[in-house]
């Protein structure tokens, strides 16, 4: 087949393709029923304490999400998970979604390992954050940016 | 040559095609994360539903084996050869048509081929052949030869207002080029034949291979060919044959 | 009330008492954000999402989750648990409209 031909025909097909609306982050963007900001979420959970950024939290998210509707997230926290020293809670936030809250997991030593895996919707490129509450009452945090090529909201 | 093509494509299409595959190329770590999702594929629930439907409306695996005139232990290898020519039908058929006839034989009204319940059933039936290698034989008989030829013709034929064929986007020449952020897949290397029915993450639903073809036809502004038609079955034969020898792993998981 | 298809998978398939296993829980649910417009009617589809998931192992809640609409459609949740005797793992899940369902799997350590 002629390359020139291909370019012409394919180009036409490509531009007419459905445009997937990315969720707007602008201040005047419509707010859904559960609008909740990252700051609000952190303050509510930690009671104003500043969480410490920690490499004990292994946050696995793709650098580039090929589809914002299904973005894999895994949070693993280094912890012996014993009665005296365990992870009490793992929170996952999509820091720029209308409602940043995704999952709040409450663990017990019976989990054996402090791991939470799920898949989240990301309305656009943003940081995904994991906040962790340890059994001694301290809070740790870690985050990673995810570049979204097609938005997942709407 | 290939990289020149990519650049030309990019320039020609501005934002529709990226300038090079690097811009959207996934790292190996990212790819591994997505591969891990297969471990807990939401379509596992649909396959389970398909299993329940098959036992309710078609007598389960045993009923299916009997209907296909094979023993239950030969059933996986037999399913790994679909689409097939079946003398009972006097034509080459896909698993959806088999499921329909099986339902009717058992005194039930058949689901339409486009019914999601039928997709679930087809996914379960094909999953019986999991780990088997695709053993489609496009030279088994004249009917298979004809189906393959019709599939190839349909694949290569330019149709619709844009004059596109399946080959326009799935030839070795363009594979790996990026179309609206999506790398154009090589249907053989990608084992399409062994990984559909699959869960489509962009649609949050299970889809069969023929239904996926319809998606591409829609995108390419081609008139959509009906499920189960000779052209559709031919396309499935042609595309499945590209992955002959690869292992079946149902349900697949796709973007 | 609508019965939701759900599935619990334990990995590995065969495990010993005391072993830590992976538990995948998934459910078919639309996870409506309350912000999506129906393409045909143009109307906003009301919010409806899984909001709570509880894992009960032999009568003890080992893990509970609050969940919001930013979780993907047909959600999957992966946790780990330490096998501690034969019995039953029951997952109870509710959604924001008040639907309550449960799903369970037998825990059967080998040996």
């Amino acid at each position: 087949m002629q390359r020139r031909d291909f370019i012409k025909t394919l180009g036409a097909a490509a531009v007419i393709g459905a445009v997937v609306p990315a969720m707007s982050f602008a201040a005047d963007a419509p707010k859904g029923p559960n609008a909740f900001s990252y700051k609000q979420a952190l303050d509510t959970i930690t009671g104003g304490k500043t969480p410490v950024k920690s490499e004990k939290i292994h946050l696995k998210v793709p650098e580039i999400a090929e589809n914002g509707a299904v973005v894999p997230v895994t949070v693993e926290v280094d912890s012996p998970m014993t009665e005296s020293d365990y992870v009490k809670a793992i929170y996952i936030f999509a820091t720029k979604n209308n409602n940043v809250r995704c999952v709040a997991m409450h663990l017990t030593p019976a989990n054996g390992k402090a791991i939470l895996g799920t898949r989240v919707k990301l309305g656009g490129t943003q940081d995904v954050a994991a906040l962790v509450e340890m059994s001694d009452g301290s809070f740790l945090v870690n985050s990673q940016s995810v570049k979204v090529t097609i938005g997942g909201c709407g | 040559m290939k990289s020149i093509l990519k650049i030309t494509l990019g320039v020609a299409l501005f934002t529709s095609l990226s300038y090079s595959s690097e811009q959207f190329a996934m790292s190996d770590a990212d790819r591994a994360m997505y591969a891990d999702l297969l471990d807990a594929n939401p379509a596992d629930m649909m396959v389970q539903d398909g299993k329940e439907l098959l036992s309710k409306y078609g007598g389960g695996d045993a009923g299916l084996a009997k209907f296909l005139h094979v023993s239950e232990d030969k059933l996986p290898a037999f399913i790994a050869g679909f689409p097939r020519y079946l003398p009972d039908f006097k034509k080459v058929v896909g698993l959806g048509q088999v499921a329909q006839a099986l339902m009717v034989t058992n005194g039930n009204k058949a689901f339409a081929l486009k019914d999601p319940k039928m997709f679930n059933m087809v996914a379960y039936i094909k999953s019986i052949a999991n780990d088997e290698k695709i053993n489609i034989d496009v030279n088994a008989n004249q009917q298979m030869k004809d189906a393959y030829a019709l599939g190839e013709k349909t694949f290569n034929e330019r149709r619709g207002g844009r004059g596109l064929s399946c080959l326009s986007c799935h030839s070795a020449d363009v594979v790996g080029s990026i179309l609206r952020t999506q790398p154009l897949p090589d249907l053989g290397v990608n084992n399409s034949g062994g990984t559909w029915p699959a869960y489509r993450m962009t649609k949050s639903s299970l889809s069969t291979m023929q239904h996926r073809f319809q998606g591409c036809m829609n995108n390419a502004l081609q008139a959509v060919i009906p499920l189960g038609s000779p052209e559709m079955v031919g396309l499935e034969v042609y595309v499945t044959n590209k992955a002959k020898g690869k292992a079946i792993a149902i349900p697949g998981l796709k973007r | 009330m609508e019965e939701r298809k759900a599935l619990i998978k334990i990995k590995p398939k065969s495990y010993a008492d005391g072993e830590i296993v992976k538990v995948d829980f998934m459910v078919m649910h639309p996870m409506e954000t309350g912000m999506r417009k129906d393409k045909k009617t143009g109307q906003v589809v009301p919010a409806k999402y899984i909001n709570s998931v509880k894992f009960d192992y032999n009568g003890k809640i080992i893990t509970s989750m609050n969940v919001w609409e930013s979780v993907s459609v047909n959600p999957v949740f992966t946790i780990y648990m330490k096998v501690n005797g034969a019995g039953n793992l029951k997952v109870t899940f509710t959604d924001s409209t008040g639907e309550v369902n449960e799903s369970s799997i037998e825990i059967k350590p080998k040996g």
Side-chain angles (χ1 to χ4, degrees):
Chain A
M1 175 172 128
Q2 295 287 313
R3 290 188 194 286
R4 203 175 285 277
D5 226 23
F6 173 78
I7 292 158
K8 206 168 61 205
T9 50
L10 184 57
V15 276
I16 51 87
V19 177
V20 180
M23 193 188 264
S24 164
F25 297 146
D28 59 351
K31 292 278 180 241
N34 279 342
F36 214 79
S37 74
Y38 184 41
K39 184 174 182 322
Q40 251 178 312
L42 283 186
D43 286 352
T44 311
I45 295 161
T46 66
K49 270 194 230 170
T50 307
V52 181
K53 183 162 169 86
S54 171
E55 298 303 323
K56 273 191 188 172
I57 303 177
H58 307 279
L59 171 61
K60 259 174 64 182
V61 287
E63 272 173 69
I64 299 175
E66 46 176 12
N67 158 26
V70 183
V71 181
V73 183
T74 304
V75 182
E76 175 163 10
V77 189
D78 296 336
S79 163
M81 293 303 276
T82 58
E83 291 295 335
S84 58
D85 181 2
Y86 65 97
V87 172
K88 252 172 97 173
I90 300 175
Y91 302 84
I92 296 176
F93 302 115
T95 58
K96 283 193 178 166
N97 275 5
N98 169 69
N99 175 3
V100 300
R101 297 167 298 186
C102 299
V103 181
M105 175 196 196
H106 308 282
L107 301 88
T108 64
N111 285 111
K113 282 186 190 176
I115 298 182
L116 166 60
T118 191
R119 296 143 201 202
V120 302
K121 300 170 194 152
L122 296 182
T125 297
Q126 60 183 286
D127 282 1
V128 169
L131 174 71
V132 169
E133 182 178 1
M134 307 300 274
S135 52
D136 66 2
S138 63
F139 287 96
L140 309 177
V141 74
N142 210 342
S143 65
Q144 200 193 305
S145 149
V146 181
K147 184 172 169 212
V148 177
T149 52
I150 302 179
C153 295
Chain B
M1 199 61 202
K2 210 165 180 178
S3 63
I4 295 173
L5 170 67
K6 276 178 201 159
I7 292 163
T8 346
L9 275 171
V11 173
L13 303 174
F14 301 101
T15 53
S16 301
L17 297 185
S18 74
Y19 290 87
S20 76
S21 57
E22 275 77 57
Q23 190 182 338
F24 286 109
M26 277 183 147
S27 65
D28 289 345
D30 281 10
R31 227 180 292 282
M33 272 205 90
Y34 280 97
D36 276 354
L37 294 183
L38 260 176
D39 231 24
N41 185 343
D44 292 339
M45 291 182 277
M46 292 138 189
V47 170
Q48 193 193 38
D49 183 55
K51 179 176 182 161
E52 286 159 18
L53 292 169
L54 180 69
S55 69
K56 190 166 167 195
Y57 298 111
D61 292 17
L64 175 65
K66 185 158 168 270
F67 180 75
L68 291 171
H69 313 295
V70 292
S71 64
E72 236 182 294
D73 55 317
K74 294 264 164 55
L75 188 60
F78 192 74
I79 289 171
F82 268 85
R84 278 180 179 277
Y85 173 73
L86 294 180
D88 288 354
F89 291 75
K90 297 196 177 62
K91 62 179 180 184
V92 176
V93 290
L95 291 170
Q97 288 152 301
V98 169
Q100 281 188 321
L102 178 64
M103 288 178 82
V104 171
T105 304
N106 281 269
N108 301 298
K109 195 167 168 290
F111 299 140
L113 289 176
K114 62 169 199 259
D115 188 330
K117 290 210 270 304
M118 178 54 90
F119 290 2
N120 292 358
M121 239 167 126
V122 169
Y124 171 68
I125 293 173
K126 189 146 168 191
S127 80
I128 295 172
N130 273 352
D131 301 328
E132 292 283 334
K133 298 210 162 40
I134 296 175
N135 62 33
I136 187 167
D137 182 357
V138 298
N139 291 312
N141 43 53
Q142 193 54 45
Q143 290 87 347
M144 280 300 281
K145 286 182 189 164
D146 291 348
Y148 180 83
L150 180 60
E152 184 174 32
K153 176 170 169 282
T154 312
F155 197 84
N156 295 342
E157 196 168 59
R158 292 159 173 278
R159 297 194 300 125
R162 310 289 168 188
L164 290 169
S165 69
C166 311
L167 191 68
S168 311
C169 294
H170 296 295
S171 76
D173 253 15
V174 297
V175 157
S177 309
I178 309 280
L179 175 62
R180 295 212 323 271
T181 79
Q182 291 319 304
L184 293 170
D186 180 308
L187 304 181
V189 174
N190 258 26
N191 189 16
S192 296
T195 52
W196 292 90
Y199 187 76
R200 290 202 66 194
M201 292 188 273
T202 44
K203 310 264 182 224
S204 304
S205 63
L206 181 90
S207 194
T208 59
M209 193 195 288
Q210 291 189 16
H211 188 246
R212 181 69 188 86
F213 294 165
Q214 290 188 326
C216 275
M217 291 171 193
N218 262 322
N219 287 342
L221 291 191
Q222 295 180 343
V224 168
I225 300 174
L227 303 176
S229 63
E231 287 80 7
M232 239 345 169
V233 176
L235 270 180
E236 184 168 352
V237 167
Y238 180 73
V239 171
T240 301
N241 190 57
K242 286 179 186 291
K244 185 167 176 170
K246 290 204 156 68
I248 294 177
I250 304 300
L253 184 70
K254 310 276 177 177
R255 193 187 62 87
Chain C
M1 193 163 296
E2 192 177 350
E3 211 203 303
R4 297 242 160 238
K5 271 232 165 298
L7 190 64
I8 307 171
K9 286 172 94 176
I10 308 239
K11 293 248 174 78
K13 280 212 169 97
S14 164
Y15 45 83
D17 207 18
E19 199 172 323
I20 297 170
V21 295
K22 181 177 173 221
V23 180
D24 288 311
F25 168 68
M26 55 180 99
V27 50
M28 282 182 69
H29 196 283
M31 297 299 284
E32 289 293 352
T33 59
M35 296 175 74
R36 190 179 69 88
K37 274 202 183 131
D38 186 302
K39 281 196 190 97
K40 282 181 199 129
T41 64
Q43 298 286 305
V44 172
V45 181
K48 178 179 178 67
Y49 52 90
I50 296 285
N51 63 0
S52 156
V53 181
K54 288 196 171 78
F55 296 78
D56 174 323
Y57 178 26
N58 288 345
K60 184 172 168 262
I61 303 282
I62 56 164
T63 301
S64 65
M65 292 179 188
N66 304 102
V67 178
W68 288 272
E69 69 278 15
S70 282
V71 169
S72 304
V73 178
N74 298 331
V76 178
F77 303 97
T78 303
I79 69 162
Y80 282 71
M81 73 171 214
K82 191 165 185 175
V83 176
N84 182 14
N88 195 50
L89 176 67
K90 184 175 82 179
V91 181
T92 307
F93 50 103
T94 62
D95 85 1
S96 59
T97 65
E99 259 184 35
V100 183
N101 278 285
E102 64 177 53
S103 175
S104 63
I105 189 168
E106 196 188 354
I107 301 297
K108 220 166 117 186
K110 64 175 181 241

